[in-house]
Amino acid sequence: MSIETTKKIVNQYLDSNHTDLSMMAEDVVFANMATGEKHCGPEAVSQMLNFMYHVAFDAHAETKNLIINETNAVFEADFVGKHIGEFAGIPPTNKSVKVPLCVVYDIENDKINKARIYFEGPALMAQLNGK
């Protein structure tokens, strides 16, 4: 694959605010590297993203860096939004949050087949708990 193809695939996904999953492989796996939690398949990935961006939070990712090669993309961003639904046993606080986020995507056969999510959970919890 070319860098241009990888760029097109990743930008299509990111530009959709994580709603267009047409570029996901049928066996795609999104793994939270801090917790070990895995979401396997486009439907599970969709449910996880919807929960984070639209159910627990009204949020979006603000891009800081996007680094692309032929088979990978590294997305550095801030997860920015408002806590609107229960998350980790915490009822909605309506607090604004801004949390560092990094995702490494693996691209194979013109599809995203793996994503490793590095999310600063302690920073999020401190913001939700008012620390």
Side-chain angles (χ1 to χ4, degrees), residues 109-125:
N109 298 320
D110 294 342
K111 297 283 187 180
I112 296 172
N113 68 340
K114 291 183 186 155
R116 291 176 298 287
I117 304 165
Y118 299 87
F119 186 77
E120 287 295 323
L124 174 62
M125 297 311 285

Side-chain angles (χ1 to χ4, degrees), residues 16-92:
S16 78
N17 197 26
H18 313 287
T19 60
D20 179 0
L21 303 186
S22 64
M23 70 296 301
M24 300 289 164
E26 285 301 312
D27 60 349
V28 66
V29 177
F30 274 46
N32 182 322
M33 301 309 290
T35 65
E37 185 177 11
K38 292 183 179 178
H39 303 275
C40 303
E43 183 61 30
V45 169
S46 176
Q47 289 174 4
M48 178 271 297
L49 292 169
N50 185 60
F51 176 76
M52 287 301 293
Y53 285 97
H54 304 292
V55 176
F57 300 90
D58 179 12
H60 63 280
E62 292 182 355
T63 304
K64 290 182 164 184
N65 289 295
L66 181 59
I67 302 165
I68 296 174
N69 68 24
E70 290 84 359
T71 58
N72 305 93
V74 178
F75 174 65
E76 179 189 20
D78 283 324
F79 176 86
V80 178
K82 185 180 277 195
H83 180 215
I84 61 168
E86 185 174 324
F87 180 79
I90 301 171

